[in-house]
């Protein structure tokens, strides 16, 4: 009988996420595994539920990657097989079980991990798409906005991994997957004793460099203390000077913003300590502006030091490039002086505040007034989950990551019920949001698929539970209601009743009543997008 390693299928699919191995990669450096006894065949049924459909390739460690179907849940899966099983597969299976504890939309879901002695396999979410390596090879280097978005997703996934004390250990353009719907997924963790979180962060710089230039800045040298394999050796090396130093992205191609160039080179500089993954994720999120909105907001250069009287930048501990601190600092001073001069000498509307100057309501230097509240901005949502306390089936949890993907045409939706109050079977369902840390929140906006739903916004301190009983406890604990509930509202709900003196990390959009479908066949609603404004 096969022995299942780690959590059961029900436990993993409800809460677990794990990186996916081998999607979209070829095994340039490693020969495929020699398979004799128990060789897989098309149509074979593993563990009485996973049907093998097509052999895709062998990954860079010689494992066999198959596309399959979970015949019980009727969904596509990826099956990665290793021959033999037993002791030789221990690292693979343990890594899958350990990584299943990490919950993040940029990590791929794990469904099962099984050892049959002669072979072992891990069953995971199937991702339709291509690797960053394949994308750049086909279409050339990416524009800065797209490269920043991919770097932001990778850094955000690493922050979730690092928060558990683990490392990824194998980050390169072949393990960064971009799905057909635009989702960026980090795959193929190869954790061992030689890995470190710092190496993961250096690799983010490598991924940014590759996305911007089409070249890999680490050459043949192993980045993570392993052999120069796992899809790295076949990447074109960076342009180098006579001393072996790599050319900055701006020297390779035009149009790379200075702040993105500096950040990439700082991450690659062994003499500059990188910031922590959560700080790097926050900074890339700040810089991640959609291409069609860049004219509305300038992200500005990275600040590695603070001006006199300011709070230190969170990147200060990482040091900074001397060029950025020198030339960029002088340019910033000159720019501020120019703006002030234009404002003072150029006249204009006397009712408007001068650009870059404090408002008339700002306290005088040395005064006792409270500082002005920072301007609100879009906050990064670190995690989002479905709360369904009155159901044991747990069958309405899919696609929740789409409510924070920036695309209002895609989202999560409930099942169809026979009555507005969830068929009188449930008191409600909710979308739980984690901001990653306590934040000052100004508003939350929820965009729905149709009008007519009733909902309220709640806040609490409990983290996401792993059981349906935990869902009930969470709903009961989230007793703080933000603003007034929306009853039979339109498709956009904006909650702005937050206490400015409080900070919030966990929020719950609690849906209490469903709208009737246009065709009259039942009641359901979709949550297309959730955004949070604050500081």
């Amino acid at each position: 009988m096969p022995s299942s390693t780690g959590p059961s299928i029900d436990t993993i699919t409800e809460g677990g996420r794990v990186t996916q191995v081998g999607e979209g990669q070829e095994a340039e450096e490693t020969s495929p595994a020699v398979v004799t006894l128990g060789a897989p065949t098309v149509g074979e049924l593993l563990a009485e539920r996973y049907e093998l459909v097509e052999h895709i390739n062998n990954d860079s460690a010689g494992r066999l990657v198959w596309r399959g179907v979970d015949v019980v849940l009727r969904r596509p899966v990826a099956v990665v097989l290793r021959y033999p099983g037993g002791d030789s597969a221990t690292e693979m299976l343990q890594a899958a079980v350990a990584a299943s504890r990490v919950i993040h939309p940029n990590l791929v879901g794990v469904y099962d991990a099984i050892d049959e002695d002669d072979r072992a396999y891990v069953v995971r979410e199937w991702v339709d798409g291509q690797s960053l390596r394949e994308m750049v090879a086909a279409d050339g280097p990416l524009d800065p906005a797209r490269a920043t978005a991919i770097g932001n997703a990778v850094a955000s996934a690493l922050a979730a991994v690092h928060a558990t004390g683990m490392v990824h250990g194998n980050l390169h353009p072949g393990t960064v997957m971009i799905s057909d719907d635009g989702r960026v997924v980090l795959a193929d963790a190869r954790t061992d004793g030689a890995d470190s979180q710092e190496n993961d962060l250096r690799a983010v710089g490598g991924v940014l460099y590759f996305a911007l230039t089409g070249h890999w800045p680490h050459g043949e040298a192993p980045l993570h203390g392993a052999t120069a394999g796992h899809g790295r050796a076949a990447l074109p090396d960076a342009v180098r000077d006579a001393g072996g130093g790599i050319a900055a992205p701006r020297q390779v191609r035009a149009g790379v913003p200075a702040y993105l160039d500096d950040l990439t080179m700082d991450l690659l500089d062994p003499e500059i300590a990188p910031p922590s993954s959560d700080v790097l994720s926050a900074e890339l999120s700040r810089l991640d502006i959609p291409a069609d909105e860049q004219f509305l907001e300038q992200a500005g250069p990275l600040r590695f030091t603070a001006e006199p009287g300011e709070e230190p930048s969170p990147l200060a501990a990482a040091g900074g490039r001397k060029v950025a601190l020198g030339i960029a600092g002088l340019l910033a001073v000159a720019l501020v002086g120019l703006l002030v001069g234009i404002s003072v000498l150029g006249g204009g509307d006397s009712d408007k505040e001068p650009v870059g100057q404090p408002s008339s309501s700002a306290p005088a230097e040395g005064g006792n007034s409270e500082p002005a509240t920072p301007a609100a901005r879009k906050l990064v949502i670190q995690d989002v989950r479905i709360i369904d306390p009155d159901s044991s089936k747990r069958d309405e949890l899919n696609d929740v990551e789409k409510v924070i993907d920036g695309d209002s045409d895609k989202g999560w939706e409930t099942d169809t019920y026979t009555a507005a109050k969830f068929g009188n079977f449930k008191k409600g369902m909710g979308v739980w949001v984690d901001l990653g840390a306590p934040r000052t929140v100004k508003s939350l906006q929820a965009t729905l698929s149709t009008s007519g739903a009733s909902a309220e916004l709640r806040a609490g301190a409990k983290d996401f539970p792993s059981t349906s009983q935990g869902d009930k406890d969470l709903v009961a604990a989230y007793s703080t209601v933000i603003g007034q509930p929306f009853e039979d509202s339109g498709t956009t709900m904006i909650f702005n009743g937050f206490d400015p003196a409080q900070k919030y990390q966990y929020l719950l959009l609690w849906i209490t009543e469903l709208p009737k479908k246009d065709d009259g066949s039942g009641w359901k609603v979709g949550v297309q997008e959730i955004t949070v404004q604050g500081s």
Side-chain angles (χ1 to χ4, degrees):
M1 289 293 290
S3 59
S4 180
T5 302
S8 67
I9 180 68
D10 292 333
T11 302
I12 292 177
T13 54
E14 289 178 16
R17 310 287 293 179
V18 71
T19 53
Q20 181 166 318
V21 178
E23 293 283 351
Q25 300 181 61
E26 296 82 27
E28 298 94 345
E29 306 87 10
T30 306
S31 299
V34 176
V35 180
T36 54
L37 180 63
T41 58
V42 173
E44 183 177 356
L45 196 64
L46 305 181
E48 300 181 349
R49 70 177 300 169
Y50 306 115
E51 181 181 353
L52 298 180
V53 175
E54 179 186 9
H55 177 217
I56 302 302
N57 56 34
N58 295 342
D59 74 4
S60 53
R63 293 171 292 196
L64 283 68
V65 181
W66 279 71
R67 178 170 62 88
V69 174
D70 183 339
V71 298
V72 175
L73 297 181
R74 296 294 179 184
R75 62 181 174 187
V77 295
V79 183
V80 182
L81 299 102
R82 180 184 179 90
Y83 291 82
D87 292 341
S88 65
T90 299
E91 190 273 338
M92 178 184 79
L93 298 173
Q94 288 181 344
V97 172
S100 70
R101 303 186 182 98
V102 184
I103 303 170
H104 198 276
N106 298 115
L107 297 173
V108 181
V110 63
Y111 305 142
D112 224 334
I114 294 175
D115 184 8
E116 295 180 348
D117 292 332
D118 60 315
R119 65 182 177 186
Y121 46 93
V122 175
V123 182
R124 280 180 286 266
E125 175 186 356
W126 174 262
V127 178
D128 284 315
Q130 59 184 330
S131 69
L132 176 61
R133 183 179 68 182
E134 293 169 329
M135 175 179 286
V136 171
D139 303 326
L142 308 182
D143 63 82
R146 183 63 171 138
T148 302
I150 289 175
N152 178 26
V154 170
S156 182
L158 281 183
V161 172
H162 291 178
T164 68
M166 297 190 298
V167 298
H168 183 272
N170 189 38
L171 174 57
H172 60 82
T175 58
V176 177
M177 299 297 301
I178 297 92
S179 70
D180 291 340
D181 62 2
R183 177 186 173 204
V184 179
V185 195
L186 187 54
D188 200 5
R190 301 276 178 78
T191 304
D192 60 38
D195 296 318
S196 70
Q197 293 187 1
E198 178 175 338
N199 283 341
D200 279 349
L201 292 162
R202 301 289 186 202
V204 177
V207 166
L208 285 171
Y209 191 96
F210 181 83
L212 292 168
T213 69
H215 295 270
W216 181 242
H218 301 290
E220 297 290 334
L223 179 62
H224 301 293
T227 58
H230 306 322
R232 302 184 197 125
L235 299 173
D237 190 20
V239 178
R240 298 179 182 270
D241 58 27
I246 62 174
R250 298 184 80 190
Q251 296 174 298
V252 178
R253 61 176 292 204
V256 178
Y259 60 82
L260 187 57
D261 186 271
D262 288 338
L263 174 59
T264 301
M265 295 303 288
D266 282 344
L267 290 171
L268 297 175
D269 191 337
E271 296 184 1
I272 298 178
S276 62
S277 53
D278 56 343
V279 169
L280 178 60
S281 174
E283 185 60 26
L284 282 167
S285 176
R286 184 180 75 86
L287 301 176
D288 184 6
I289 305 171
D292 57 353
E293 296 179 12
Q294 289 198 357
F295 70 97
L296 298 175
E297 177 181 354
Q298 284 295 326
L302 300 180
R303 298 186 308 158
F304 292 94
T305 61
E307 295 296 329
E310 291 184 354
E311 290 294 324
S313 165
L315 290 176
R321 303 188 67 77
K322 294 181 176 61
V323 173
L325 293 177
I327 297 176
L330 292 174
L331 290 175
V333 171
L335 179 60
V336 171
L338 177 62
L339 292 174
V340 172
I342 292 173
S343 176
V344 172
L345 299 176
D349 191 343
S350 60
D351 293 332
K352 294 183 179 179
E353 298 290 347
V355 176
Q357 301 302 301
S359 68
S360 59
S361 61
E365 185 175 352
N368 295 324
S369 300
E370 291 294 325
T373 302
R377 60 182 176 84
K378 182 179 178 181
L379 298 179
V380 177
I381 297 177
Q382 296 290 344
D383 193 18
V384 59
R385 305 287 294 179
I386 299 301
I387 298 293
D388 188 10
D390 296 318
S391 175
S392 59
K393 295 191 300 178
R394 316 282 286 174
D395 59 354
E396 292 175 85
L397 310 183
N398 295 330
D399 298 327
V400 63
E401 68 278 357
K402 293 181 180 179
V403 306
I404 58 172
D405 64 358
D407 185 354
S408 60
D409 292 331
K410 301 176 183 178
W412 165 83
E413 61 183 11
T414 68
D415 284 345
T416 299
Y417 291 84
T418 57
K421 295 184 180 294
F422 295 90
N424 298 320
F425 294 117
K426 302 178 183 181
K427 295 180 180 179
M429 291 184 69
V431 182
W432 175 87
V433 168
D434 178 11
L435 299 177
R439 304 287 186 187
T440 299
V441 180
K442 181 178 180 181
S443 65
L444 179 145
Q445 176 175 310
T447 302
L448 307 183
S449 60
T450 186
S451 60
S454 297
E456 62 187 23
L457 185 64
R458 301 183 182 185
K462 289 179 67 69
D463 201 344
F464 182 78
S466 59
T467 64
S468 57
Q469 179 59 47
D471 282 8
K472 295 178 181 179
D473 295 341
L474 183 143
V475 172
Y478 277 46
S479 57
T480 301
V481 178
I482 307 299
Q484 296 297 317
F486 282 80
E487 297 182 1
D488 193 24
S489 66
T491 58
T492 300
M493 297 181 177
I494 300 178
F495 300 88
N496 53 16
F498 292 87
D499 184 349
Q502 299 292 326
K503 291 186 179 293
Y504 304 83
Q505 178 174 351
Y506 305 120
L507 302 171
L508 176 63
L509 177 66
W510 183 242
I511 303 169
T512 55
E513 191 165 340
L514 302 173
K516 194 168 187 177
K517 295 172 65 176
D518 292 340
D519 61 5
S521 61
W523 283 258
K524 76 181 300 183
V525 73
V527 180
Q528 306 300 103
E529 198 71 22
I530 290 179
T531 57
V532 181
Q533 295 284 331
S535 59

